[in-house]
Amino acid sequence: MISMNVSEVSEFRLLGFSEVSHLHPLLFVVLFSLYILTLMANTVIALIINGDNTLHTPMYFFLTQLSCLDICYLSVIVPKILENLMVGTIGISKTGCAVQMFFFFFFGVAECFLLAAMSFDRYVAVCYPLHYIVIMNSKVCKSLVAGTYICGTAVGLVHTTITFSLPFCGLAINHFFCEIQPLLELLCGNTFPSEIQVIAVAVFAIIGPFLLILYSYIRIILTILKMSSDESQQKAFSTCFSHLLVVTLFYSTASSMYLQPKSSYSASVNKLLSLSYTVMTPLLNPIIYSLRNEEVKGALRKRWRKINFMWK
């Protein structure tokens, strides 16, 4: 770490993957390919859902929002990673770092709460199927989505404002974007209050929605077990499996990142975990939903046939 007077810190340096500089060309090709593939996959899912009237239901409305969030979430981080891999250590202004952190938390927290909203949708669909259309009407769906963005905005503003109002005694961020853990390493003096802040935000943004998801699935499982036929049980569970898998992927990496104490922090492990939930999860989400969902696959086949017919 480079120590300096706090008044002089107006720009940070993102070290990125400086410890494996010989792998930069390979990493650039891999990450750039994954970035383009993820943008295409999520865009296709959103366009397919919006273009097929049979998919204009609450579940697919939330799925479209998830695809949009994944695109934005990914685009906050990956361009800086690619720049870092091309030129090595890069500079980022203090303002730019704060903006990047805000949008990272904004989209990340919004996705946490959106996954909770999606679990509520599955809960209503399985537990109250006869009242599903009435309960999950357009106004309720839009309100739930608006709530996710409000929570993301609140957490992003509070977290970023508090962090960047503290004095910094270093400028070298051992990461590929303005992550909270490596930034805590640069703070002057006692960082314990800031660590408590990070844990508090994590509890609100990660544990809170997770408990809502857990409650929804407990009720869903209890309802499925009461169903008389195996076919009904299998059909009910299949409607929830994709969402449950996405939740597992997202929360397993996010909780391992933000619920760990500073004493167990490792820059190398942190970077790998960051790559998993900033790059791999947004790519896997549309794949999981398209491969596990017959309606989405049917809509994709229908659109593909139309494209082939136009080109003939």
Side-chain angles (χ1 to χ4, degrees):
M1 183 189 302
I2 300 175
S3 298
M4 58 192 305
N5 188 288
V6 294
S7 62
E8 297 176 7
V9 179
S10 59
E11 183 179 82
F12 296 103
R13 292 196 299 128
L14 294 171
L15 300 183
F17 300 97
S18 55
E19 65 272 20
V20 288
S21 56
H22 60 288
L23 295 177
H24 280 192
L26 176 61
L27 287 172
F28 179 88
V29 172
V30 171
L31 288 176
F32 180 75
S33 300
L34 290 175
Y35 180 50
I36 297 300
L37 186 60
T38 304
L39 292 181
M40 291 175 60
N42 282 285
T43 301
V44 166
I45 288 292
L47 291 176
I48 289 295
I49 292 173
N50 286 325
D52 194 318
N53 290 332
T54 62
L55 299 181
H56 289 179
T57 62
M59 183 176 74
Y60 294 111
F61 170 71
F62 291 128
L63 181 55
T64 302
Q65 297 297 318
L66 180 64
S67 292
C68 293
L69 277 177
D70 280 339
I71 289 172
C72 296
Y73 186 64
L74 193 69
S75 297
V76 169
I77 306 300
V78 174
K80 274 294 180 185
I81 301 178
L82 296 176
E83 182 184 356
N84 186 285
L85 291 173
M86 280 195 298
V87 301
T89 300
I90 58 174
I92 183 171
S93 67
K94 191 175 182 179
T95 301
C97 192
V99 169
Q100 187 183 52
M101 176 181 282
F102 166 76
F103 281 109
F104 172 74
F105 277 104
F106 170 67
F107 293 122
V109 171
E111 184 157 334
C112 283
F113 282 92
L114 181 64
L115 290 173
M118 294 173 77
S119 72
F120 175 72
D121 170 71
R122 293 299 84 207
Y123 159 71
V124 176
V126 174
C127 299
Y128 302 97
L130 298 179
H131 303 283
Y132 178 70
I133 299 299
V134 176
I135 297 174
M136 298 302 296
N137 57 64
S138 177
K139 184 178 180 180
V140 170
C141 292
K142 290 177 181 177
S143 297
L144 287 172
V145 171
T148 66
Y149 291 129
I150 290 171
C151 291
T153 301
V155 171
L157 280 175
V158 171
H159 207 36
T160 305
T161 301
I162 292 176
T163 300
F164 283 88
S165 65
L166 299 171
F168 291 94
C169 290
L171 55 79
I173 301 175
N174 190 13
H175 213 288
F176 46 79
F177 72 103
C178 292
E179 242 285 38
I180 183 62
Q181 291 285 8
L183 273 171
L184 289 178
E185 297 286 316
L186 305 182
L187 292 177
C188 300
N190 181 22
T191 63
F192 181 73
S194 300
E195 293 178 57
I196 295 299
Q197 171 208 339
V198 172
I199 294 174
V201 171
V203 168
F204 172 73
I206 299 177
I207 301 300
F210 179 76
L211 291 176
L212 293 175
I213 294 170
L214 185 63
Y215 172 78
S216 296
Y217 274 101
I218 289 174
R219 293 293 303 272
I220 288 171
I221 291 171
L222 291 175
T223 301
I224 290 175
L225 291 176
K226 293 177 183 178
M227 292 179 178
S228 56
S229 67
D230 292 339
E231 184 180 351
S232 298
Q233 291 180 342
Q234 186 176 2
K235 184 178 179 181
F237 182 73
S238 66
T239 65
C240 304
F241 182 80
S242 296
H243 175 260
L244 192 58
L245 187 54
V246 168
V247 167
T248 302
L249 287 171
F250 185 85
Y251 276 93
S252 60
T253 52
S255 59
S256 62
M257 279 285 298
Y258 296 107
L259 297 180
Q260 62 172 319
K262 185 181 176 182
S263 58
S264 63
Y265 173 77
S266 168
S268 299
V269 173
N270 188 269
K271 291 176 187 179
L272 290 175
L273 288 173
S274 295
L275 279 178
S276 67
Y277 71 79
T278 57
V279 178
M280 294 309 301
T281 302
L283 172 62
L284 291 174
N285 286 349
I287 294 175
I288 291 169
Y289 273 103
S290 60
L291 291 180
R292 290 287 310 177
N293 193 298
E294 291 299 327
E295 291 177 313
V296 173
K297 286 193 288 187
L300 284 169
R301 286 192 292 264
K302 188 192 303 182
R303 183 54 58 94
W304 182 251
R305 285 195 296 266
K306 287 182 178 180
I307 294 172
N308 281 340
F309 178 77
M310 291 174 62
W311 280 99
K312 287 182 179 180

